[in-house]
Amino acid sequence: MNAFLALLRWELRRLLRTGTARAALAFLFCAGLAALAATDRELARQAREIAALPDQYEAQVARIAKQFPAGEHAGYVAYYSFLPTWQPAAPLAAFSLGLRDVVPGALWIRLLGLEGQLHESGLGNPAVQALGTFDLAFVVCALAPLVLLVLSHDVLSRDREQGVLPLVVAQAGGLGPLFAARLAVRAAAVAAVCTALFAVGLAWPGILPGPAEFGWLADMLLHLAVWTAAAAAIAALCRSVAASLAAAGTAWVAAAVVLPAALNLAVVAAYPVPEGLELTVRQRQEIHAGWDRPKEETFARFFRTYPEWRDTAPVAGRFAWKWYYAMHQAGDDSVADASARYRANLRARAAATARLAWLAPPVATQLLLSRRAGTDLEAHLAYLDRVRAFHGTMKAHFHPPVFAETVLPVASWRDFPRFVPAAPPAAAGTFAERLPLLIPLGLGLAVAVRALRRPFRPLL
Amino acid sequence: MLTLENLTKRYPGAAAPAVDGLTLTVAPGELFALLGPNGAGKTTTLNCLLGFVAPNSGRALIDGLDVVAAPLETKRRLAYIPEQVNLYGHFSGLENLAYFSELAGHRYPDTELRRFLAEAGLQDDAHGRRVGGYSKGMRQKVGIAIALAKNAKVLLLDEPTSGLDPGASHEFSRLLRRLRERGVAILMATHDLFRAKADADRVGIMRHGRLAHLLTAAELAHTDLEKLYLETMAA
């Protein structure tokens, strides 16, 4: 054990004497800091936006109250009342932003048709979606493996090419402990940089680490272990630096760039999802068609969903708020199947991505990390479900006065339903979800051990 | 003790074996010089002993242990100085010596390491300098120091004086004498007929993988080694 520790000490000294290694580790650290800063900026913007919601809401109420000091018809008040909903970011979003910067974290909801309101805010930021989120999870999943491979691919081949290997083997006897020490030091250096970034990410916003944070760290280290195993296999199999460099480059480009993109394309093609915009347009078309449709027909459809208002007085004039909201309900009803399919197919895409993640460990890790951080698709759909439920609460609150054609006094506006936010659902994931990482880890190590144990490996 | 028993090594695709039924023994305290032209099989013989290549038949034994059956144990018992000593350029001579010694399981204080380097003939002011700036001869001296520090029972030398100036070469001969006095068995592959005649207890001239001539020290004293060597090559 002492001999192995001595080897580790020497290998660390050798590593740190190499300018390329120092530069690569510094690059990784700087990239990680930049990712943390970018994530912090985005989360701070979202937090400011959420923190401003109550004041904005009060200002809105005051503005309407000033316009209608004597109160107003419930339909009119509901029309102008935007009620805020939001989903706060979990602390781990600081490391794994996931979908948090491409889907809305806050929505203002009215009594109108819901589907358009859900999706009209989610149309922006396609550029960010195309590039992927630059967060610590990205640095860990994509850049750290690159640095690890750069440092580790030639732990034997460079010695062979420089003619040092025969003397090394003659002195050491076997290659096993030396090889293990070299890889361990390089993996530990990369892991240390990533862990330091993790610590900076905790200290920066003042997050107190708990089981969830340490779980995130453990998954990050598991991911690095997979790439260490890949580097071990490459280093043990390749004789020349050129070959090991080519193998390492190919492995990284395939697993971290090409396969995730290819999997995304395959999943998108296999599970077509109607765009949010398409749902919005269809819903709007249905609402607008309501203006030309006989009121009785609109109400008949509405009463199928809300039979409790069947006995209210029929609309006499050209316009009535209850008719207007019935038209909006018709809009929602017309895309209900598409909306359900939208959510089901999004979940199917997520499930398919998780299955295909067997082919690309970085994808498996990204899924685990964003799930732990509550920034994955499930978290977003959970938020939309809460908004959907809140919209139901709004209907329960406003429908009685709207259908009773009641004037709502200003004093009652304080009693409007308030959205109760919830922390995004986060989960540690199962052992089975880590198999796409554990299996390549075992395979890589097995290949390396087998290659090193081969008697009379050509060393010269 | 180093023993070769009918050792044969044929490289894949080669018309003739590189080493063909070679049998010899180097006793503790003996220096055996293997002479021969390029391709005679000298380095392949050393590589078989080092476990770098697998013999097709026969055995190579270090201290009675088969190098194939017990590769780790046999390597622990031997030290090796290659023709071209390549080291880690980012390390100083002292650091290289410390590193390679720790690889062999020996940890020495700096004073002891410096003593090995001095014994190998490396000047004091070079000990702390990076090996990247060393001449071939200086690297060779670090290689010698590495072998000394291993304190092995068997020493394999592959053209050890290549790159050394005459003075250093002479010092190296004195060093070999001291090692023999300590009971180290030395097998030296060389082209240097003068050094072989001056230092060796026995000399073997290899040709086509076989020992064409085997001369004892007494026979060497009365033999024109250069003439015999050239006649052997011409035959």
Side-chain angles (χ1 to χ4, degrees):
Chain A
M1 193 60 194
N2 279 344
F4 190 71
L5 287 177
L7 271 182
L8 289 176
R9 190 169 49 85
W10 276 107
E11 289 305 330
L12 180 63
R13 195 189 287 193
R14 276 192 61 218
L15 180 72
L16 296 179
R17 286 279 174 89
T18 317
T20 315
R22 290 198 304 268
L25 292 170
F27 159 75
L28 181 62
F29 189 70
C30 292
L33 283 182
L36 286 172
T39 311
D40 183 65
R41 195 165 50 243
E42 173 61 21
L43 289 176
R45 185 192 64 74
Q46 293 184 15
R48 279 196 307 274
E49 193 179 305
I50 290 172
L53 291 176
D55 287 347
Q56 288 172 353
Y57 176 68
E58 292 303 328
Q60 173 195 253
V61 171
R63 193 170 56 248
I64 305 171
K66 191 175 172 186
Q67 195 176 349
F68 309 110
E72 185 50 81
H73 187 288
Y76 210 99
V77 174
Y79 183 82
Y80 282 108
S81 295
F82 292 75
L83 303 187
T85 70
W86 66 96
Q87 176 156 266
L92 278 172
F95 302 124
S96 190
L97 202 52
L99 291 175
R100 197 64 207 189
D101 64 341
V102 289
V103 296
L107 288 170
W108 290 90
I109 299 296
R110 286 197 287 173
L111 190 60
L112 307 184
L114 178 66
E115 292 299 334
Q117 300 184 72
L118 290 181
H119 301 296
E120 65 191 358
S121 304
L123 304 177
N125 229 345
V128 171
Q129 226 166 357
L131 288 173
T133 309
F134 186 57
D135 54 12
L136 187 60
F138 171 80
V139 171
V140 166
C141 289
L143 298 186
L146 181 63
V147 171
L148 184 57
L149 288 172
V150 165
L151 298 184
S152 311
H153 72 91
D154 58 351
V155 292
L156 286 186
S157 58
R158 189 162 297 280
D159 274 13
R160 183 184 287 117
E161 285 196 354
Q162 291 179 344
V164 191
L165 197 57
L167 189 54
V168 166
V169 175
Q171 288 292 109
L175 277 176
L178 180 70
F179 184 79
R182 288 184 172 182
L183 271 175
V185 160
R186 282 152 182 79
V190 173
V193 169
C194 290
T195 306
L197 288 168
F198 178 80
V200 170
L202 287 175
W204 198 330
I207 300 169
L208 202 62
E213 283 73 25
F214 287 118
W216 198 95
L217 179 66
D219 280 335
M220 177 190 88
L221 294 176
L222 174 61
H223 180 75
L224 292 179
V226 173
W227 282 100
T228 304
I234 289 167
L237 288 173
C238 296
R239 285 176 52 80
S240 70
V241 174
S244 61
L245 186 61
T250 305
W252 182 77
V253 169
V257 180
V258 175
L259 274 173
L263 293 185
N264 185 42
L265 285 176
V267 168
V268 166
Y271 298 93
V273 172
E275 294 292 333
L277 175 64
E278 186 186 328
L279 280 176
T280 305
V281 169
R282 277 180 57 192
Q283 183 221 34
R284 289 284 165 83
Q285 284 172 339
E286 181 62 26
I287 292 169
H288 291 292
W291 293 103
D292 303 320
R293 189 178 293 130
K295 294 187 178 63
E296 295 74 20
E297 189 181 327
T298 300
F299 275 115
R301 289 164 66 176
F302 180 80
F303 293 149
R304 279 203 291 273
T305 311
Y306 293 102
E308 62 269 34
W309 306 114
R310 190 182 295 277
D311 298 330
T312 52
V315 176
R318 281 181 55 125
F319 179 82
W321 281 110
K322 60 185 179 185
W323 173 57
Y324 181 72
Y325 290 118
M327 282 197 290
H328 274 269
Q329 181 63 45
D332 273 356
D333 290 345
S334 70
V335 294
D337 56 336
S339 176
R341 204 167 55 248
Y342 173 82
R343 281 172 285 158
N345 276 8
L346 280 180
R347 285 199 164 96
R349 276 185 184 180
T353 305
R355 282 196 301 277
L356 291 171
W358 282 85
L359 302 172
V363 174
T365 307
Q366 284 274 19
L367 291 175
L368 282 170
L369 296 181
S370 57
R371 179 170 303 175
R372 278 192 182 277
T375 55
D376 63 347
L377 179 70
E378 274 307 319
H380 176 58
L381 291 178
Y383 169 55
L384 294 187
D385 285 345
R386 290 184 70 79
V387 172
R388 212 176 286 279
F390 179 65
H391 193 247
T393 307
M394 288 172 70
K395 287 179 192 170
H397 181 84
F398 283 111
H399 277 174
V402 167
F403 278 82
E405 305 285 356
T406 311
V407 169
L408 288 181
V410 171
S412 73
W413 298 1
R414 299 281 166 200
D415 301 329
F416 287 172
R418 301 289 176 109
F419 179 78
V420 180
T430 62
F431 176 76
E433 285 169 315
R434 284 171 181 79
L435 285 177
L437 298 173
L438 292 169
I439 289 175
L441 169 63
L443 279 177
L445 291 178
V447 167
V449 168
R450 186 178 157 79
L452 287 173
R453 279 192 175 167
R454 208 168 66 216
F456 300 107
R457 269 179 98 250
L459 296 170
L460 308 174
Chain B
M1 168 86 84
L2 178 161
T3 309
L4 301 177
E5 293 176 355
N6 208 23
L7 188 78
T8 299
K9 173 62 189 177
R10 182 192 292 269
Y11 289 109
V19 178
D20 190 3
L22 184 63
T23 297
L24 67 87
T25 299
V26 183
E30 184 184 20
L31 194 162
F32 190 107
L34 267 183
L35 294 174
N38 293 331
K42 305 186 300 293
T43 300
T44 298
T45 302
L46 295 186
N47 285 341
C48 284
L49 283 161
L50 287 160
F52 294 168
V53 294
N56 296 98
S57 62
R59 294 203 303 166
L61 307 170
I62 303 286
D63 222 14
L65 295 169
D66 191 316
V67 297
V68 175
L72 288 180
E73 287 77 4
T74 51
K75 282 198 197 74
R76 259 187 224 123
R77 288 167 167 78
L78 64 80
Y80 168 57
I81 302 176
E83 178 180 1
Q84 175 104 23
V85 175
N86 292 302
L87 302 163
Y88 292 111
H90 292 298
F91 277 176
S92 66
L94 194 67
E95 287 173 318
N96 267 290
L97 174 57
Y99 175 74
F100 280 99
S101 295
E102 293 231 22
L103 279 185
H106 300 291
R107 175 180 284 191
Y108 296 107
D110 264 15
T111 49
E112 191 75 355
L113 293 170
R114 286 181 188 281
R115 194 181 62 74
F116 285 125
L117 288 171
E119 194 175 354
L122 190 69
Q123 290 179 329
D124 288 356
D125 62 348
H127 293 183
R129 289 213 314 266
R130 286 194 175 190
V131 160
Y134 277 18
S135 67
K136 185 183 175 192
M138 291 165 82
R139 290 202 308 274
Q140 206 72 15
K141 288 171 183 173
V142 176
I144 293 166
I146 290 170
L148 287 175
K150 194 167 182 184
N151 200 20
K153 291 184 174 179
V154 172
L155 178 59
L156 303 178
L157 308 171
D158 193 357
E159 297 290 352
T161 51
S162 134
L164 294 184
D165 57 55
S169 190
H170 179 69
E171 274 304 308
F172 184 64
S173 291
R174 291 176 56 187
L175 185 65
L176 290 181
R177 260 198 298 280
R178 287 203 296 277
L179 289 173
R180 282 155 62 195
E181 285 164 12
R182 290 180 206 166
V184 177
I186 304 171
L187 178 62
M188 174 170 73
T190 183
H191 292 292
D192 188 341
L193 303 183
F194 171 76
R195 191 58 49 207
K197 188 167 182 176
D199 295 339
D201 298 303
R202 285 191 296 158
V203 168
I205 301 176
M206 283 190 83
R207 187 163 179 269
H208 300 320
R210 295 171 178 231
L211 268 186
H213 291 283
L214 181 59
L215 302 165
T216 63
E219 288 166 335
L220 275 171
H222 306 290
T223 305
D224 183 343
L225 188 58
E226 185 174 7
K227 187 179 170 196
L228 178 65
Y229 181 85
L230 292 173
E231 281 173 0
T232 308
M233 296 309 109

